[in-house]
């Protein structure tokens, strides 16, 4: 047996390297049954490593496990207890439960602790374990003299069960609170705080009770883990969301934010920064102004070398942004994009070389003298995924609340142009898979498409900025055609939105001819059907602007120009008539035939001559422009389409043509030749390749100096993240806007970059010989100066007020109830589709999803708890109690009426007699006496006939509670007698 135990120990070692040892399960069982403890321990170790739920010999080990559980030796008893969690099955749990429960009352605390943990694992597989085990576990928890290790194990089990069914553990709150206050175990305190975070939503009164100890722990504990769990428990427990002012939510939030700031500022611990940023992301939902005050430390995390910290800080700045800090935050992110670089193909395929230590001597440590990286001085390398995330966050921040945080839309348009130039280029594989993916996934592949959509949205919703937005789209389109160094291609997503803008708002173009030429080139080079559809739609719109002006005379020059222009467009459209995409075919054929008709009409129209005025063809001036004139297109809310009712009888799943797949397959197999370029197109509309010009200046003068970091409190100006052409245009617009402002000092034209010495200025203006005496002196007579009140009033121009920008709301149907788009993919959206949680196995490799419906109360025959049935039963019980109370009150009132009618025995207390208003009676006239009665019936009083005839009738007002009538003194005497 010793030899077999040694061989099994070696086999267990080999199994740790991935070798299978399931074939030796029977030998493991033999070693487990050994009488010697050392051999038995090796056997149980082999069972832990090799036994699974489907192991056949596990059935044979049941009796051995039951036998060892009842052993008198503590070490032998511990072996099956620590092995069961790894090999447990429902049938095995049912068999060993009766032997495992008595171990909860064992005299040794280590056995009790291990038994509690093992019972939790049994409950995950076999939930009926909790019925007999929970009373004993609860008894151990309530025992104040229990060993701390056993109490910690129970708290751990309760915490794991509590997040599934927290309502079952509310009765334990006093004992758990006592452990939280008195226990000095940080690990147990962390578990208790997590448990209380799930209990406070069920019992709001716990919030007021938990705040003093949690606040004390936050202020005094030196353990960062406990500090973070206290803050996280306050956030998850809904204490910060409480509307009760007496709790002091603002003071607690301020304390938590200050402690989190200290965690972020700890140098050298990236884990603390990460968890602190996670907590900041939760606090920003309820107290964004407090988090915005920590902008300095959060923005420092944006430039952290750890990419995970950057991403968490990036998520945080979106929630803390407002109109005051928007431009500074976006400028910081834009500088990060501009100063970074993307990985080249060599760097992507590069394998890291081993580090070569270079120690100068034997005494020096090799780690200290590691060679520095040669590329450390280069621009930081950022992955494209992070760049895409940064661009998406910038767009989210600027467009939030329907552009409510934007104060300068001109600046935002320039930011969009710069983002187009900084956006990473998607690879060819991403573009090839573009057609097989959804719209959301596509926008992640080519982020420039979203930038173009945002520019188009600004043009549609902000009419005051429509001209600037259209000019920006025009510059992007023309630069793509003219600039050979541009990263944009005909398949870029931004060009689709840009082409739509230049076609829809063609009247705002600065150079319609150049825009039309760029569109024609993109149409010939584009391979994407979606892009071609938009390009083809924009071409006739720009043509109608150029050739459709009816106020310009129809001269021979204009006739020739229009004819050539239409010939160029027809030449570009004719090859697309056989395009594989059906929509591209339709648009190409329609527009080419329309332009052919217009060309025939233009060729047949006589031109204007001396004294003979001829108009342009109506097909050009009225018919074609009116095709695109009509109602203005506005933005539509995202949820408006869902509100459109589906017509009856319409089956959207029914195919239009059953043979459509064969038709499309036949079209795909057809060849599509690239159109040849004619000499006319090459000569007039293609840019010549740039000619390299050699320079004689030294190479060191042509090297770009490294940009020094900006240490200004404004974090640098616009020049640090905008291209020079955008900066020059903005400077020219600013000078033009402020030219009449007396408080604005305009820069001089002949300024120099460096300061010039004074003697050089004097020599350049006065020559080498300078005569000081020749300088004229002006005499100033201060007495003759007129006061300011006598000066002629001058009109002082004030600062130009900011233009009030009106942003249009999204259009929607009346039934939708909202005009703003709703993001249905958010986890916090109540109206959107809820995300299905991944119901996978936990780290214990056990499916414990069914334990959430298991109740710790009731008999074993009861099934899962039905919440609807329980609610109905509670309502019926409350209704029955109300009925019982109503019957009891009726019986009590009936009894009081009977006692009042029979008379009250005993001494009657004489009360003050209130004067009642006499009822008007006329005894002489013989009219009946009228008594006005209240709604409640007055109790009849016991009176004699003589008293009733001699005394006037009084209205007696009965009391509500005591049903006793007022009795006169004579009547009281008769009752006493």
């Amino acid at each position: 047996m010793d030899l077999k135990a040694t061989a099994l120990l070696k086999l267990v070692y080999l199994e740790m390297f991935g070798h299978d040892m399931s074939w030796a399960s029977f030998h493991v069982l033999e070693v487990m049954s050994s009488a010697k403890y050392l051999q038995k321990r090796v056997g149980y170790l082999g069972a832990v490593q090799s036994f699974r739920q489907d192991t056949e010999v596990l059935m044979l080990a049941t009796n051995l496990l039951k036998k060892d559980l009842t052993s008198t030796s503590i070490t032998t008893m511990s072996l099956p207890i620590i092995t069961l969690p790894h090999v447990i099955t429902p049938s095995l749990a049912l068999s060993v439960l009766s032997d495992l429960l008595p171990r909860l009352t064992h005299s040794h605390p280590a056995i009790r602790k291990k038994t509690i943990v093992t019972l939790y694992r049994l409950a995950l597989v076999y939930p009926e374990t909790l019925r007999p085990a929970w009373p004993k576990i609860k008894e151990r928890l309530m025992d104040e003299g229990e060993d701390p290790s056993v109490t910690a194990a129970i708290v751990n089990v309760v915490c794991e069960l509590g997040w599934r069914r927290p309502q079952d553990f509310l009765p334990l709150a006093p004992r758990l609170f006592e452990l939280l206050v008195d226990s000095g175990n940080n690990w147990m305190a962390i578990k208790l705080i997590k448990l209380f975070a799930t209990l406070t939503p069920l019992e709001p009164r716990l919030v007021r009770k938990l705040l003093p100890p949690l606040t004390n722990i936050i202020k005094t504990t030196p353990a960062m883990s406990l500090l973070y769990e206290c803050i996280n428990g306050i956030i998850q427990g809904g204490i910060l969301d409480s509307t009760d002012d007496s709790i002091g939510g603002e003071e607690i939030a301020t304390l938590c934010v200050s402690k989190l700031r200290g965690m972020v500022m700890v140098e050298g611990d990236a884990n603390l920064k990460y968890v602190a940023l996670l907590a900041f992301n939760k606090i920003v939902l309820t107290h964004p102004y407090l988090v915005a005050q920590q902008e300095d430390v959060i923005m420092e995390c944006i430039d952290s070398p750890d990419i995970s910290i950057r991403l968490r800080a990036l998520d945080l700045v979106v929630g803390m942004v407002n109109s005051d800090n928007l431009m500074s935050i976006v400028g910081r992110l834009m500088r990060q994009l501009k100063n970074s670089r993307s990985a080249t193909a060599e760097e992507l395929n590069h394998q890291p070389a081993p580090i070569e230590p270079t120690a100068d001597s034997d005494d020096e440590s090799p780690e200290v003298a590691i060679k520095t990286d040669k590329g450390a001085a280069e621009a930081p390398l950022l992955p494209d995924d992070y760049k895409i995330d940064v661009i998406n966050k910038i767009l989210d921040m600027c467009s939030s609340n329907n552009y409510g945080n934007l104060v300068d839309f001109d600046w935002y348009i320039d930011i969009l142009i710069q983002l187009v130039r900084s956006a990473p280029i998607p690879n060819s594989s991403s573009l090839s898979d573009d057609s097989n993916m959804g719209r959301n996934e596509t926008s992640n592949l080519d982020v420039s498409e979203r930038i173009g959509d945002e520019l188009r949205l600004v043009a549609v919703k902000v009419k005051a900025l429509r001209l600037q937005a259209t000019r920006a789209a025009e510059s992007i389109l023309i630069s793509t055609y003219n600039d050979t160094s541009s990263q944009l291609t005909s398949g870029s997503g931004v060009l689709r939105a840009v082409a739509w803008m230049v076609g829809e708002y063609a009247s705002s173009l600065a150079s319609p001819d150049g825009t039309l030429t760029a569109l024609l080139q993109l149409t010939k080079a584009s391979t994407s059907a979606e892009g071609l559809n938009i390009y083809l739609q924009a071409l006739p719109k720009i043509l109608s602007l150029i050739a459709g002006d009816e106020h310009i005379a129809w001269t021979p020059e204009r006739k020739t120009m229009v004819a050539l222009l239409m010939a160029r467009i027809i030449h570009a459209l004719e090859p697309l008539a056989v395009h594989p995409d059906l929509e591209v075919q339709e648009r190409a054929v329609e527009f080419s035939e329309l332009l052919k008709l217009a060309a025939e009409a233009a060729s047949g129209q006589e031109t204007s001559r001396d004294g003979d005025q001829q108009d342009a063809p109506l097909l050009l001036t009225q018919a074609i422009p009116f095709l695109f004139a009509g109602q203005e297109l506005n933005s539509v809310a995202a949820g408006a389409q869902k509100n459109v009712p589906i017509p009856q009888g319409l089956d959207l799943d029914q195919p239009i043509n059953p043979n459509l797949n064969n038709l499309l397959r036949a079209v795909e197999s057809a060849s599509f030749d690239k159109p040849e370029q004619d000499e006319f197109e090459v000569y007039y509309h293609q840019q010549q390749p740039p000619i390299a010009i050699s320079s004689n200046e030294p190479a060191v003068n042509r090297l770009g100096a490294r940009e020094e970091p900006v240490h200004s409190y404004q974090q640098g100006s616009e020049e640090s993240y905008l291209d020079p052409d955008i900066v020059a245009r903005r400077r020219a617009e600013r000078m033009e806007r402020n030219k009449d402002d007396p408080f604005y000092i305009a820069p001089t034209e002949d300024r120099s970059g460096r300061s010039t010495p004074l003697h050089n200025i004097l020599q350049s203006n006065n020559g080498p010989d300078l005569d000081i005496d020749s300088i004229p002196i002006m005499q100033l007579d201060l007495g003759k100066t007129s006061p300011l009140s006598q000066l002629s009033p001058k009109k002082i121009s004030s600062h130009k007020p900011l233009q009030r920008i009106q942003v249009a709301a999204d259009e929607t149907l009346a039934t939708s109830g909202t005009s703003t788009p709703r993001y249905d993919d958010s986890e916090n959206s109540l109206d959107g589709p809820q995300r299905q949680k991944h119901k996978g196995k936990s780290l214990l490799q056990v499916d414990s999803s069914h334990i959430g419906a298991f109740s710790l109360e009731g008999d074993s025959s009861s099934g899962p708890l039905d919440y609807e049935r329980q609610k109905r039963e509670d309502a019926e019980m409350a209704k029955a109690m109300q009925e019982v109370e109503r019957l009891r009150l009726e019986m009590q009132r009936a009894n009081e009426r009977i006692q009042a009618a029979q008379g009250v025995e005993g001494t009657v207390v004489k009360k003050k007699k209130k004067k009642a208003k006499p009822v008007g009676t006329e005894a002489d006239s013989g009219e009946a006496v009228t008594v006005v009665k209240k709604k409640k019936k007055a109790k009849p009083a016991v009176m004699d006939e003589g008293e009733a005839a001699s005394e006037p009738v009084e209205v007696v007002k009965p009391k509500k509670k005591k049903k006793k009538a007022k009795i006169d003194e004579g009547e009281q005497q008769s009752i006493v007698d």
Side-chain angles (χ1 to χ4, degrees):
M1 187 61 71
D2 290 335
L3 183 61
K4 184 172 291 189
T6 304
L8 181 60
L9 192 60
K10 294 180 179 180
L11 192 58
V12 169
Y13 179 76
L14 294 177
E15 196 272 341
M16 296 179 182
F17 287 92
H19 299 280
D20 185 26
M21 61 170 294
S22 60
W23 53 271
S25 57
F26 190 80
H27 301 285
V28 172
L29 186 60
E30 287 182 348
V31 180
M32 287 172 60
S33 60
S34 175
K36 296 183 179 179
Y37 173 74
L38 295 179
Q39 297 175 359
K40 184 183 289 291
R41 186 178 62 178
V42 173
Y44 275 101
L45 177 60
V48 170
Q49 292 294 113
S50 61
F51 282 11
R52 299 293 179 266
Q53 293 186 359
D54 55 350
T55 303
E56 296 179 354
V57 300
L58 193 58
M59 298 173 55
L60 304 177
T62 304
N63 292 330
L64 177 62
L65 293 172
K66 293 172 67 67
K67 177 183 175 183
D68 291 339
L69 280 174
T70 57
S71 175
T72 57
S73 174
I74 297 178
T75 55
T76 304
M77 189 187 303
S78 300
L79 292 178
I81 295 178
I82 63 177
T83 305
L84 279 174
H86 299 275
V87 300
I88 195 64
T89 60
S91 59
L92 183 60
L94 180 61
S95 300
V96 300
L97 180 60
S98 58
D99 298 304
L100 198 59
L101 287 177
R103 306 286 84 79
L104 286 174
T105 56
H106 197 273
S107 60
H108 202 280
I111 298 297
R112 299 197 300 269
K113 177 181 65 175
K114 295 177 182 179
T115 303
I116 290 171
V117 178
T118 303
L119 285 173
Y120 167 70
R121 182 56 187 250
L122 262 68
L124 296 181
V125 179
Y126 183 62
E128 291 295 331
T129 303
L130 291 176
R131 295 198 184 278
W134 176 246
K136 297 184 177 181
I137 296 177
K138 185 178 178 181
E139 181 183 355
R140 296 287 93 196
L141 178 64
M142 294 300 180
D143 188 3
E144 297 182 358
E146 184 58 83
D147 189 83
S149 62
V150 180
T151 305
I154 297 175
V155 169
N156 196 1
V157 171
V158 170
C159 182
E160 292 298 326
L161 294 174
W163 66 267
R164 293 181 174 91
R165 290 183 55 86
Q167 62 270 16
D168 290 340
F169 300 94
L170 276 176
L172 301 178
R175 174 58 178 165
L176 297 177
F177 179 79
E178 181 183 350
L179 292 174
L180 176 64
V181 175
D182 299 336
S183 175
N185 189 351
N186 288 346
W187 179 253
M188 186 189 299
I190 290 174
K191 290 291 184 181
L192 290 172
I193 292 170
K194 289 183 177 181
L195 180 59
F196 276 120
T198 60
L199 296 180
T200 47
L202 301 176
E203 183 54 65
R205 292 177 296 179
L206 284 175
V207 174
R208 196 182 301 274
K209 191 74 173 177
L210 287 173
L211 275 181
L214 291 182
T215 307
N216 185 35
I217 293 175
I218 292 175
K219 292 180 179 179
T220 58
T221 181
M224 288 295 179
S225 58
L226 182 57
L227 173 62
Y228 172 74
E229 290 298 337
C230 285
I231 297 176
N232 193 32
I234 289 176
I235 297 171
Q236 292 184 354
I239 298 177
L240 298 181
D241 300 339
S242 179
T243 58
D244 191 358
D245 297 335
S246 61
I247 296 178
E250 295 296 328
E251 293 79 2
I252 299 170
T254 305
L255 177 62
C256 294
V257 169
S258 62
K259 291 295 183 180
L260 291 175
R261 177 187 175 91
M263 295 173 66
V264 174
M265 296 179 66
V266 174
E267 294 292 339
D269 197 338
N271 294 328
L272 280 181
K273 288 185 179 181
Y274 185 82
V275 296
L277 291 175
L278 288 179
F280 269 133
N281 276 288
K282 299 175 183 177
I283 297 179
V284 76
L285 300 177
T286 56
H287 298 77
Y289 55 93
L290 290 179
V291 180
Q293 295 175 2
Q294 321 301 324
E295 180 182 351
D296 52 346
V297 296
I298 294 173
M299 295 308 296
E300 289 297 329
C301 297
I302 291 290
D303 298 327
S304 174
D306 192 343
I307 195 67
S308 60
I309 294 179
R310 284 193 179 192
L311 292 175
R312 297 290 76 77
L314 199 59
D315 296 336
L316 184 58
V317 296
V318 177
M320 57 180 265
V321 72
N322 52 44
S323 58
D324 298 329
N325 58 11
L326 173 65
M327 297 183 69
S328 62
I329 292 176
V330 173
R332 183 76 171 260
L333 296 176
M334 292 296 297
R335 274 190 296 275
Q336 189 179 107
L337 288 177
K338 186 178 180 182
N339 298 332
S340 64
R341 62 184 180 89
S342 299
T344 60
E346 297 179 357
E347 291 175 342
L348 291 175
N349 300 326
H350 175 69
Q351 297 181 357
I355 298 177
E356 299 179 2
T358 56
D360 296 336
S361 62
D362 296 338
D363 298 334
E364 184 179 358
S365 176
E367 289 78 3
V368 180
I370 294 177
K371 292 182 179 180
T372 59
D373 189 6
K374 295 180 180 179
E378 297 180 359
L381 178 63
L382 295 179
D384 289 345
D385 294 339
Y386 176 74
K387 289 185 177 181
I388 292 174
D389 202 0
V390 170
I391 293 174
N392 286 326
K393 298 300 182 184
I394 291 175
L395 298 180
D396 291 339
M397 288 187 290
C398 295
S399 62
S400 62
N401 299 327
N402 201 18
Y403 304 101
N405 295 326
L406 268 181
V407 295
D408 189 356
F409 275 89
D410 292 328
W411 168 83
Y412 183 47
I413 292 175
D414 294 332
I415 289 292
L416 293 177
I417 297 175
Q418 185 65 37
L419 286 178
V420 171
R421 301 176 182 179
S422 304
I425 306 173
N427 50 26
S428 58
S429 61
S430 299
L431 292 178
S432 62
D433 297 338
D434 191 2
S435 59
N436 299 328
M437 302 183 68
R439 183 173 179 83
N440 294 333
E441 298 177 354
T442 305
S443 61
N444 293 333
L445 294 176
D446 189 4
V447 73
S448 65
E449 182 179 0
R450 190 186 175 191
I451 302 173
D453 293 341
E454 192 64 29
L455 184 61
R456 177 175 56 188
L457 197 59
V458 171
V460 171
K461 302 183 73 171
V462 189
K463 295 182 179 180
L465 273 297
R466 186 166 293 171
L467 176 63
Q468 293 87 330
T470 307
R471 296 286 175 85
E474 181 184 14
S475 65
I476 294 173
L477 190 65
I478 295 178
S479 64
T480 305
Y481 166 62
N482 292 331
D483 191 3
T484 56
S485 62
S486 177
Q487 298 179 352
L488 297 179
T489 60
S490 59
S492 299
V494 67
L495 295 181
R496 302 169 190 170
V498 164
W500 185 91
M501 291 176 61
V502 298
E504 186 68 22
Y505 309 117
S507 58
S508 302
L509 295 176
S511 176
D513 295 332
T515 305
L516 184 62
T517 302
L519 268 179
L520 287 174
Q521 292 300 320
L522 291 176
T523 303
K524 294 180 179 180
S526 179
T527 57
S528 173
E530 186 178 356
L532 278 175
N533 291 328
I534 301 177
Y535 301 155
L536 293 179
Q537 193 73 21
L539 285 174
K541 294 181 181 180
I542 303 178
L543 175 64
S544 64
L545 174 70
I546 298 174
D549 194 352
E550 58 185 4
H551 300 290
I552 302 178
W554 184 250
T555 60
E557 293 82 6
R558 184 186 177 193
K559 179 179 180 180
T560 305
M561 185 269 295
V562 171
L564 291 176
L565 194 60
M566 288 190 293
R568 289 174 54 198
I569 298 177
I570 293 173
H571 179 73
L573 294 181
E574 284 181 346
L576 298 177
V578 292
H579 194 274
D581 189 77
L582 297 179
E583 190 172 355
V584 174
Q585 286 186 26
E586 180 183 1
R587 298 193 184 195
V589 171
E590 288 177 353
F591 290 141
S592 61
E593 293 299 327
L594 179 62
L595 293 181
K596 287 177 183 179
L597 293 176
E600 293 178 1
S603 61
Q605 182 72 17
E606 296 293 334
T607 59
S608 299
R609 296 181 180 178
D610 298 337
D612 187 9
Q613 186 72 20
Q614 296 290 336
D615 294 333
L618 295 179
L619 192 60
L620 286 176
T621 58
Q622 294 186 8
I624 294 180
F626 286 171
L627 291 176
F628 310 107
Q631 279 191 331
E632 184 179 351
L633 295 177
N634 298 325
S635 62
V636 181
Q641 185 65 31
K642 298 179 180 179
N643 298 323
V644 177
I646 300 177
Q648 295 181 357
L650 177 62
D651 187 6
L652 298 178
D653 297 331
Q654 182 180 3
I656 300 176
N657 190 340
N659 199 25
L660 183 61
N661 294 330
N662 297 332
L663 294 177
L664 295 177
R665 193 179 300 110
V667 173
E668 291 177 357
S669 61
S671 61
F672 181 67
D673 299 332
K674 184 178 180 181
E676 298 180 357
Q677 296 178 347
D678 53 359
E679 297 179 357
F680 178 84
E681 190 73 28
V682 172
Y683 183 79
Y684 284 102
H685 300 288
Q686 285 199 3
Q687 188 179 10
Q688 296 181 357
I691 302 175
I693 301 176
S694 61
S695 177
N696 296 326
E697 62 176 340
V700 69
N701 296 337
R702 297 196 298 270
L703 293 176
R706 185 182 178 186
E707 184 180 357
E708 296 295 333
V710 181
H711 298 286
S712 171
Y713 73 97
Q714 296 178 345
Q715 296 296 333
S717 59
E718 296 176 351
E719 288 82 354
S720 59
Y721 58 85
L722 294 179
D723 287 345
D725 57 339
I726 302 178
V727 174
R729 178 172 56 80
R730 289 181 61 83
R731 184 181 292 112
E733 293 175 355
R734 186 164 54 249
M735 292 178 62
E736 181 67 22
R737 186 170 57 251
N738 299 323
K739 64 180 181 180
D740 296 331
D741 192 350
F743 300 99
Y744 178 73
I745 302 177
T748 58
E749 297 295 335
D750 54 348
R751 60 182 180 178
S752 59
R754 297 180 180 179
S755 61
T756 308
L758 181 61
H759 66 276
N760 291 345
I761 299 176
L762 296 177
Q763 288 184 2
S764 61
N765 295 332
N766 301 285
D769 300 329
L770 178 62
D771 188 7
I772 301 298
D773 298 333
S774 63
I775 300 176
I777 300 176
M778 180 179 292
Q779 184 178 0
L780 298 177
D781 191 358
L782 300 178
K784 295 181 180 180
T785 58
S786 60
L788 293 176
S789 60
Q790 299 177 1
L791 292 177
S792 60
K794 295 183 180 180
K795 184 178 180 181
I796 300 177
S797 63
S798 59
H799 289 280
K800 183 179 179 181
L802 292 176
Q803 183 181 5
R804 184 175 180 85
I805 303 297
Q806 183 177 2
V807 181
D810 295 335
E811 291 185 351
T812 182
L813 295 181
T815 56
S816 62
T818 177
S819 62
T820 56
R822 296 179 299 176
Y823 299 95
D824 292 339
D825 56 348
S826 175
E827 292 183 355
N828 297 329
S829 177
L830 298 178
D831 298 332
Q834 300 293 333
R835 293 183 177 178
Q836 294 182 357
K837 297 183 179 179
H838 179 68
K839 296 183 178 180
K841 292 186 177 181
S842 62
L843 295 177
L844 299 175
Q845 299 296 322
V846 174
D847 184 11
S848 60
S849 58
H850 56 279
I851 205 172
F854 184 81
S855 176
L856 297 179
E857 304 293 337
D859 53 353
S860 59
S861 61
S862 60
L865 184 61
D866 189 356
Y867 294 101
E868 297 295 335
R869 179 172 56 82
Q870 183 180 4
K871 191 179 298 184
R872 290 194 301 268
E873 291 177 355
D874 294 341
E876 293 175 358
M877 180 61 68
K879 187 176 180 180
M881 292 297 295
Q882 293 178 358
E883 185 68 19
V884 170
E885 183 68 17
R886 184 181 63 83
L887 294 176
R888 187 186 65 81
L889 290 176
E890 289 181 357
M891 294 175 63
Q892 180 180 359
R893 292 170 183 170
N895 189 23
E896 291 176 354
R897 286 195 296 268
I898 294 173
Q899 291 180 358
Q902 294 178 355
V904 182
E905 296 181 359
T907 304
V908 180
V909 180
K910 183 178 180 181
K911 297 184 179 180
K912 289 186 179 180
K913 193 175 182 181
K914 292 185 179 180
K915 293 183 179 181
K917 294 183 180 180
V919 181
T921 58
E922 295 181 1
D924 300 343
S925 60
E927 295 181 1
V929 179
T930 305
V931 181
V932 180
K933 296 184 178 180
K934 299 289 183 179
K935 292 183 179 179
K936 277 192 173 182
K937 295 180 179 180
K939 299 297 182 296
V942 181
M943 301 175 63
D944 296 339
E945 296 178 358
E947 293 175 355
S950 61
E951 294 183 4
V953 179
E954 294 181 357
V955 179
V956 181
K957 183 178 179 182
K959 292 185 179 180
K960 293 183 179 179
K961 294 184 179 179
K962 296 182 178 181
K963 309 297 181 179
K964 296 180 180 179
K966 292 186 177 181
I967 307 174
D968 294 342
E969 295 181 2
E971 300 175 17
Q972 295 176 3
Q973 186 65 29
S974 62
I975 293 175
V976 172
D977 296 340

